[in-house]
Amino acid sequence: MSPTRLGQNQYGKAETRVVHVTREGRTHHVRDLNVSVALSGAMDEVHYSGSNANVLPTDTTKNTVFAFAKQYGIDSAEQFGIRLARHFVTSQDAIERARIRIEEYAWDRITDEHSFVRGGRETRTAEVAYDGTHWQVVSGLKDLVVMNSTDSEFWGFVKDPYTTLPETRDRVLATEVAARWRFGWTREEDPAPRWEESYAEVRRHLLEAFAGTYSLSLQQTLYAMGERVVEHRPEIDEVRLSLPNKHHFLVDLEPFGLVNDTPDSAVYFAADRPYGLIEGTVLREGAEPRIPVTD
């Protein structure tokens, strides 16, 4: 008898870039997605003996992404992921679970017709999992860079022999928001959320909470952002946030005979690393955490 056994496993095609252009005469609409498919189920034999009898080729999953974009269009990242996950689980007996991860890239119009420029916005994300009975949909965004040039303090923290950071009653607070939020919707027979509306509203609440919180710590700001989403969006049970602290340090200008940080202006050095990384989850009361801390 072998001293080993197979554990959790999955396979699929990662990062299929699909750009769908909808044409309404000379007016075009673009959806630009990066789709990753992961499938799992009765896959023991392909690992133990190399038998591919239950294996749907990853090339087929790639082709399915393109074909479904053409056949059904892309109403939203979430709905497209749901359609793909349902197809893989219900069309193949050996596949018991499908996970679809999607990043969406924004394009802004140059003209009213068919010229676009890549938006300098965040990247939208979506992850859909389906086991044949229940759904789990986790939407999100990343690379959303925000900054408050004031209304942030940091003081009263623990000090030990290695502490050199001075306390401050006024600082720049900047971060690059990565957020994921899990929907309470899990059953096909229940009405699904309005994905596009939900994304826009969650993004709005994240930004408004960041801007509207007088911050004594980035942790406080993180909780305020997640709390606002859960309180205002009943379809969402869990929000996980990762907020790197994009440190801005006042530049010492005294060698040049200049006084920095005057009432009318200040000059900062924006350091990219190392950086503080603040992460946390905000849950609806009674909900269990299900978004993984790491992939």
Side-chain angles (χ1 to χ4, degrees), residues 184-202:
W185 179 77
T186 62
R187 302 189 309 166
E188 190 83 35
E189 55 267 32
D190 295 332
R194 298 166 61 92
W195 307 114
E196 294 292 281
E197 174 189 312
S198 185
Y199 179 84
E201 285 298 293
V202 170

Side-chain angles (χ1 to χ4, degrees), residues 276-292:
L277 181 59
I278 311 302
E279 297 180 295
T281 302
V282 179
L283 297 161
R284 185 174 302 282
E285 189 65 39
E288 295 295 326
R290 294 180 185 170
I291 300 177

Side-chain angles (χ1 to χ4, degrees), residues 210-223:
F210 178 84
T213 300
Y214 190 103
S215 179
L216 300 177
S217 68
L218 188 49
Q219 287 91 333
Q220 177 194 14
T221 300
L222 179 150
Y223 188 81

Side-chain angles (χ1 to χ4, degrees), residues 32-49:
D32 185 350
L33 271 56
N34 187 15
V35 181
S36 294
V37 176
L39 309 175
S40 57
M43 298 295 160
D44 288 5
E45 279 307 308
V46 68
H47 291 86
Y48 290 138
S49 68

Side-chain angles (χ1 to χ4, degrees), residues 51-99:
S51 171
N52 292 313
N54 286 340
V55 175
L56 183 72
T58 63
D59 189 70
T60 302
T61 68
K62 175 202 69 177
N63 294 339
T64 305
V65 171
F66 291 130
F68 275 34
K70 175 61 177 176
Q71 287 178 274
Y72 305 110
I74 302 173
D75 295 329
S76 68
E78 290 83 357
Q79 187 58 45
F80 192 63
I82 287 171
R83 191 182 297 277
L84 287 169
R86 179 188 293 114
H87 167 77
F88 291 124
V89 171
T90 59
S91 66
Q92 301 293 323
D93 291 340
I95 295 174
E96 299 168 358
R97 187 174 187 271
R99 186 197 69 205

Side-chain angles (χ1 to χ4, degrees), residues 7 9-10 21 30 32-33 111 121 126 145 182 191 208 220 227 254 267 275 277 285 291:
N9 63 88
Q10 60 194 33
V21 179
V30 172
D32 185 350
L33 271 56
T111 69
R121 298 177 33 172
V145 181
R182 177 173 57 83
E208 290 183 358
Q220 177 194 14
E227 180 182 42
E254 288 187 6
V267 177
Y275 53 85
L277 181 59
E285 189 65 39
I291 300 177

